[in-house]
């Protein structure tokens, strides 16, 4: 399985936003959506603000593949669903730490049950 380089991890970790474009049935990227991204060790995670019913999340979990762009890094990725409570607690803390300067009306929903259930690890391809 491929891994992120330290340079890629650092660039994406320090970027405020990430463009995510799940692949469609024809294996081409759908139009990108701007989302937040956090780092946990050597892994990168994203959550769907609207939970599992969100458009980009449904597309990402239909094919489990797509393309991301963030911090000058462009990469095809595999989307891996995460549901480990301890991991989700760490991701909650990472969202609060990284995005704590934003209004609570943006940050609090990212650590609520709906988005927690829509957590994906980004694995480079």
């Amino acid at each position: 399985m491929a891994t992120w380089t330290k340079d890629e991890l650092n660039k994406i970790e320090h970027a405020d936003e990430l463009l995510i474009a799940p692949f469609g049935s024809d294996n081409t990227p759908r139009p990108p959506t701007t989302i937040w991204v956090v780092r946990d060790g050597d892994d990168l995670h994203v959550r769907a603000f609207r939970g599992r019913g969100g458009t980009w999340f449904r597309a990402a979990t239909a094919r489990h593949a797509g393309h991301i762009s963030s911090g000058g890094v462009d990469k095809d990725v595999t989307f891996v669903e995460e549901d480990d409570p301890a991991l989700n607690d760490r991701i909650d803390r990472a969202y609060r730490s990284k995005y704590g300067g934003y209004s609570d009306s943006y940050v609090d929903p990212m650590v609520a049950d709906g988005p927690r259930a829509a957590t994906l690890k980004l694995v480079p391809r």
Side-chain angles (χ1 to χ4, degrees), residues 1 7 14 21 23 28 44 47 58 66 78 89 100:
M1 183 178 284
D7 185 55
H14 291 100
F23 290 158
T28 61
L44 298 167
R47 286 181 172 164
R58 286 183 288 126
T78 299
D89 289 345

Side-chain angles (χ1 to χ4, degrees), residues 4-26:
W4 297 103
T5 68
K6 293 293 181 198
D7 185 55
E8 291 169 333
L9 284 168
N10 289 333
K11 286 180 177 178
I12 295 171
E13 175 184 24
H14 291 100
D16 276 344
E17 298 176 327
L18 176 137
L19 292 174
I20 190 165
F23 290 158
S25 59
D26 61 355

Side-chain angles (χ1 to χ4, degrees), residues 40-55:
D40 178 60
D42 290 337
D43 294 321
L44 298 167
H45 293 89
V46 296
R47 286 181 172 164
F49 186 84
R50 298 195 189 329
R52 298 184 66 81
T55 303

Side-chain angles (χ1 to χ4, degrees), residues 23 50 55 59-60 69 73 76 82 86 90 98 104 106 115:
F23 290 158
R50 298 195 189 329
T55 303
S69 178
V73 176
D76 286 343
E82 297 281 12
R90 292 195 312 271
K98 182 174 180 178
D104 287 345
Y106 292 108

Side-chain angles (χ1 to χ4, degrees), residues 48-88:
F49 186 84
R50 298 195 189 329
R52 298 184 66 81
T55 303
W56 76 258
F57 183 84
R58 286 183 288 126
T61 55
R63 306 229 357 117
H64 296 279
H67 186 84
I68 60 101
S69 178
S70 181
V73 176
D74 284 292
K75 198 76 132 174
D76 286 343
V77 295
T78 299
F79 303 118
V80 178
E81 294 185 61
E82 297 281 12
D83 62 2
D84 176 62
L87 172 63
N88 268 308

